Amino acid sequence: GAVVSQHPSWVICKSGTSVKIECRSLDFQATTMFWYRQFPKQSLMLMATSNEGSKATYEQGVEKDKFLINHASLTLSTLTVTSAHPEDSSFYICSARGVINQPQHFGDGTRLSIL
Amino acid sequence: DAKTTQPPSMDCAEGRAANLPCNHSTISGNEYVYWYRQIHSQGPQYIIHGLKNNETNEMASLIITEDRKSSTLILPHATLRDTAVYYCIVRVAAGNKLTFGGGTRVLVKP
């Protein structure tokens, strides 16, 4: 089945640091990638949608200057949390889709802890 | 995309069939029903999807009522590894967003 790889699995860093998370589709070309965030005991919340070669579309309330998304190729998207603070600590999950009517497949998430 | 309603939790016996209901009374004619599950501390896993016909794959069966206002995900022989939160989502095939609701927390007991 389709595989989406996310790296790193977890990261702990100091407040003010910028953190980059990578999302790769390993066996298909992802025309669209999605970034979600999940706080403890809550459901997944979509942060942004990106199409390869285009600027990402952010959901209401998500700061685009804080959460930088790059989808430069059909197999790679990155999310950079700039100047991270403790309130940015969360579980970040990427998702990818190839052909438009095919299911989205998810990575295993990145647990981000900001001290 | 149409909203879905699922019970917040349910227990299932290991080895028995688990039937997970989902109501989507406002579903449109071009919206599919998708099921995902999320095992603790992992990303969601795609299970199955369908439009109006019943669907079956190696993981589960999806039964959609004739009026399409509700559906049931069936795990034929639940195992302890099936303990997870199960999400029922409706979306147009060409739609971008998968919007996650609260899901059903399924606990499979020995």
Side-chain angles (χ1 to χ4, degrees), chain B residues 26-52:
Chain B
T26 60
I27 192 170
S28 301
N30 61 345
E31 287 182 312
Y32 285 70
V33 180
Y34 290 82
W35 282 85
Y36 284 79
R37 72 180 183 183
Q38 185 177 26
I39 296 170
H40 183 63
S41 295
Q42 297 181 22
Q45 177 188 23
Y46 166 76
I47 301 173
I48 199 167
H49 75 287
L51 182 62
K52 53 178 123 177

Side-chain angles (χ1 to χ4, degrees), chain A residues 32 34 36 38 41-44 46 49 51 59 91 93 97 100-109 111, chain B residues 32 34 36 38 40-46 49 87 91-103 105:
Chain A
T32 307
F34 309 85
Y36 292 79
Q38 186 175 33
K41 298 189 178 181
Q42 295 185 21
S43 190
L44 284 79
L46 179 66
T49 302
N51 293 299
E59 294 299 300
F91 191 47
I93 308 168
R97 185 186 66 198
I100 198 164
N101 60 352
Q102 290 300 306
Q104 286 177 222
H105 294 278
F106 289 79
D108 273 340
R111 192 160 301 283
Chain B
Y32 285 70
Y34 290 82
Y36 284 79
Q38 185 177 26
H40 183 63
S41 295
Q42 297 181 22
Q45 177 188 23
Y46 166 76
H49 75 287
Y87 295 98
R91 194 199 73 178
V92 296
N96 263 340
K97 302 178 186 181
L98 275 180
T99 302
F100 286 79
R105 190 171 297 275

Side-chain angles (χ1 to χ4, degrees), chain A residues 11-19 81-86 88-89 112-115:
Chain A
V11 60
I12 302 172
C13 57
K14 294 181 179 179
S15 184
T17 307
S18 292
V19 179
V81 183
T82 61
S83 187
H85 293 288
D88 298 321
S89 298
L112 175 62
S113 295
I114 308 299
L115 304 177

Side-chain angles (χ1 to χ4, degrees), chain B residues 25-101:
Chain B
S25 59
T26 60
I27 192 170
S28 301
N30 61 345
E31 287 182 312
Y32 285 70
V33 180
Y34 290 82
W35 282 85
Y36 284 79
R37 72 180 183 183
Q38 185 177 26
I39 296 170
H40 183 63
S41 295
Q42 297 181 22
Q45 177 188 23
Y46 166 76
I47 301 173
I48 199 167
H49 75 287
L51 182 62
K52 53 178 123 177
N53 296 324
N54 297 337
E55 302 288 342
T56 296
N57 63 20
E58 64 278 3
M59 290 184 67
S61 294
L62 173 60
I63 309 298
I64 303 174
T65 57
E66 193 168 340
D67 63 7
R68 303 208 324 121
K69 293 185 176 182
S70 66
S71 60
T72 301
L73 179 74
I74 301 173
L75 307 178
H77 305 284
T79 70
L80 299 180
R81 288 179 297 176
D82 291 322
T83 290
V85 179
Y86 287 76
Y87 295 98
C88 168
I89 302 166
V90 294
R91 194 199 73 178
V92 296
N96 263 340
K97 302 178 186 181
L98 275 180
T99 302
F100 286 79

